[in-house]
Amino acid sequence: MQHAQPAGVDPDVVDFAVVGKWMDEQGLPGGTFEEVRALGGGTQNIMLRFTRAGHDYVLRRGPKHLRAKSNEVIRREARLLGALDGTGIRAPRVIAACPDESVLGAVFYLMEPITGFNPQNELPELYAADPEVRRQMGLSAVESIARLGMLDYEQLGLADYGKPDGFLERQVPRWLGELDSYAANAGYPGPQIPGVGAVGDWLERNRPAQWRPGILHGDCHLANMMFEYERPRVAAMVDWEMSTIGDPLLDLGWQIATRPEPGSTIGSLTGALGSVGGLPTPAEMVAHYGEFSDRDLSAVDWYTVLACFKLGIVLEGTYARAFAGKAPQQIGDFLHACTLELFERAHQVMG
């Protein structure tokens, strides 16, 4: 069967003749590709939504110019999402995956489209008009990560998905090393982040002695979640690129660290939601997490500081790359402001 390339889609990114042949081989319904459109505005991974034989699909692959780990990231995502299917975790459902990059030139998978909205892009009237709805929205996000962290990852076939041994011990040296590596970007003046060393030292001194491994989303702020239009409930957690087997309480710390507050730079990451507030307090988030998890929550402050530390260093990477012309300067400056704010939050939590 011939598969015509839809107009406006670069065949070097997604060759629909190849995709069509591959779908036919998977036993998926054949026919013409219709209503093809790009999803998301990011510069990271590529997502195309299309209809074929009356069925809706989203194709996900790495960026046009693949990075060193792009194929492995997509391969891991597809594996994890496949393992989560049937667990009740709100995540995209994989229809079929192609882990062999030689087929399309990049690893890709097909998933079912998600019906819902991303708060980074829009805030429906139901949410915009009622702070209680926004509070319930935040609590639903907390419930989602709590339930994820309670899954038996070994039973799901994910025993080798991460390296939980020494996970907490690795964090500070791992991310300080990442920060040091940014010096390779020409023109970067170095990390002008007050108190980086002090935060790292505090984390090392106060590291929890005991913890239990589980599935970690790794980047579970509200902009990486989609919500139902009709009620304040997570429709799906998306963007699982940083997922691993580690300490799931870092996800809780991450949500607290990135909680959108009106007037904050970090708040603007979630669009209109960041300017209106009404989300649950950190204390409410911790209490709600405890309703769906039996984990020891006595060291939540430590995980919140670690989240500020790790995410702040991750965002600083774009700032460093902007000096070398590898990222837009305006975005780099904005993310650097977020980094400074995250480290301010870390110091506030440390006391």
Side-chain angles (χ1 to χ4, degrees), residues 54-351:
H55 295 267
D56 294 324
Y57 302 88
V58 172
L59 183 149
R60 182 167 167 90
R61 56 149 284 173
K64 179 177 180 178
H65 302 291
L66 293 171
R67 299 173 184 174
K69 296 182 179 178
S70 292
N71 282 326
E72 183 58 22
V73 164
I74 299 297
R75 198 178 283 118
R76 281 172 56 84
E77 266 190 14
R79 179 187 171 191
L80 178 69
L81 292 174
L84 293 180
D85 191 16
T87 64
I89 298 300
R90 297 187 173 275
R93 195 182 81 79
V94 172
I95 298 169
C98 181
D100 180 359
E101 62 259 42
S102 69
V103 174
L104 190 67
V107 173
F108 69 96
Y109 62 88
L110 300 178
M111 58 183 167
E112 292 181 349
I114 304 297
T115 301
F117 72 93
N118 183 319
Q120 189 172 29
N121 302 324
E122 64 176 303
L123 193 65
E125 181 61 24
L126 172 69
Y127 292 80
D130 190 343
E132 176 57 23
V133 171
R134 297 193 295 275
R135 194 178 78 88
Q136 293 296 330
M137 170 194 200
L139 293 177
S140 179
V142 170
E143 177 185 341
S144 294
I145 57 167
R147 290 186 182 280
L148 176 69
M150 287 299 291
L151 293 178
D152 184 333
Y153 67 93
E154 292 179 323
Q155 193 174 32
L156 294 174
L158 296 171
D160 61 343
Y161 190 73
K163 299 174 182 176
D165 288 349
F167 177 80
L168 293 188
E169 290 80 2
R170 286 196 303 271
Q171 294 304 304
V172 170
R174 158 77 176 86
W175 294 104
L176 287 178
E178 182 78 3
L179 189 60
D180 287 343
S181 75
Y182 299 160
N185 291 282
Y188 177 54
Q192 297 169 332
I193 308 167
V196 171
V199 175
D201 290 344
W202 184 91
L203 286 167
E204 293 286 54
R205 287 196 313 271
N206 294 280
R207 186 172 58 241
Q210 293 183 318
W211 61 280
R212 191 169 84 239
I215 301 172
L216 184 73
H217 178 282
D219 194 17
C220 56
H221 53 75
L222 295 181
N224 276 344
M225 297 199 171
M226 296 183 70
F227 292 85
E228 297 180 10
Y229 284 102
E230 301 80 14
R231 55 180 169 173
R233 191 169 78 167
V234 171
M237 295 187 282
V238 297
D239 289 346
W240 293 78
E241 293 179 45
M242 293 172 69
S243 61
T244 190
I245 305 302
D247 190 335
L249 288 179
L250 181 54
D251 275 346
L252 177 57
W254 205 271
Q255 285 198 356
I256 294 171
T258 59
R259 178 178 173 271
E261 295 181 8
S264 67
T265 306
I266 297 167
S268 61
L269 285 169
T270 45
L273 178 62
S275 63
V276 294
L279 291 160
T281 65
E284 288 175 320
M285 294 167 73
V286 173
H288 198 68
Y289 190 100
E291 292 183 24
F292 303 95
S293 172
D294 63 1
R295 293 180 183 275
D296 179 359
L297 300 177
S298 60
V300 167
D301 283 353
W302 188 88
Y303 293 97
T304 304
V305 172
L306 176 59
C308 291
F309 180 82
K310 178 177 176 178
L311 180 56
I313 290 175
V314 169
L315 298 182
E316 182 74 2
T318 302
Y319 181 59
R321 287 190 292 275
F323 281 93
K326 301 174 187 175
Q329 190 66 52
Q330 185 178 1
I331 293 176
D333 290 345
F334 169 74
L335 294 179
H336 178 63
C338 290
T339 294
L340 296 180
E341 206 169 79
L342 284 163
F343 274 86
E344 285 175 18
R345 290 191 181 188
H347 285 286
Q348 289 168 4
V349 175
M350 286 159 53

